[in-house]
Amino acid sequence: KQEVTQIPAALSVPEGENLVLNCSFTDSAIYNLQWFRQDPGKGLTSLLLIQSSQREQTSGRLNASLDKSSGRSTLYIAASQPGDSATYLCAVAGVNSGGYQKVTFGTGTKLQVIP
Amino acid sequence: AAGVIQSPRHLIKEKRETATLKCYPIPRHDTVYWYQQGPGQDPQFLISFYEKMQSDKGSIPDRFSAQQFSDYHSELNMSSLELGDSALYFCASSLRGMRGTSYEQYFGPGTRLTVT
């Protein structure tokens, strides 16, 4: 059974800092890994999707990397802003018994960027 | 671009009542997934459907049932509601693609169910 862990569980940084969020998974047989942002009580906003064959994806100030063999992904946020404050979830798309995709979410990292 | 639509967005029910949540996938998407996210928890997979057939099952209680209709929309039926069913329920859709291929799931805004 796939298990997805995110470290740290919570992070508080001053505005302008660069930061790294970590995601680890136990089963490296994955199709893709996706990073989401979730504001309190709100839905999931997709940030980046990395296919298993890719090493990284970039979007604006965000960069996500994937090391499938070691079961790790990192989300790098450059020049953090107060508006980045949210919970960040990684979601790993593995394989179900039928050979099709099944998504397992990580435990989340709650980020607070202090002005 | 069209997104996944969920209705209602908010729902308040009393214990032992029933609730029906609806999900309308992105046009041409043939697969629907349901997730439950309790307060302070990560989303947990409940069930998925492809072409009106159940394709996978997660931690869905026996009190819940779901189906996918010919127009690909899906409904999650919840009976004998309990206080612990209060959560945010997400629906996602995707193209199923070929077996062994990777595809992105697109998430709806969620339905917040409160059981009192």
Side-chain angles (χ1 to χ4, degrees), chain A residues 32 38 51 98 100-101 106, chain B residues 37 42 96 99-100 102-104:
Chain A
N32 61 64
Q38 186 174 33
Q51 301 290 355
Y100 296 100
Q101 182 171 293
Chain B
Q37 185 179 29
D42 51 280
R96 191 193 201 204
R99 182 174 180 168
S102 169
Y103 41 85
E104 184 171 0

Side-chain angles (χ1 to χ4, degrees), chain A residues 31-98:
Chain A
Y31 286 140
N32 61 64
L33 184 145
Q34 195 164 359
W35 283 93
F36 291 90
R37 169 192 172 131
Q38 186 174 33
D39 293 288
K42 302 296 184 181
L44 300 169
T45 300
S46 179
L47 299 174
L48 290 164
L49 172 72
I50 311 176
Q51 301 290 355
S52 63
S53 58
Q54 297 175 322
R55 297 284 292 182
E56 66 177 333
Q57 282 287 333
T58 298
S59 176
R61 294 182 294 108
L62 305 179
N63 176 276
S65 67
L66 174 64
D67 185 341
K68 198 172 70 167
S69 60
S70 68
R72 293 181 182 182
S73 175
T74 60
L75 178 66
Y76 175 83
I77 302 177
S80 58
Q81 303 171 357
D84 294 331
S85 299
T87 295
Y88 290 79
L89 294 160
C90 72
V92 176
V95 187
N96 70 13
S97 57

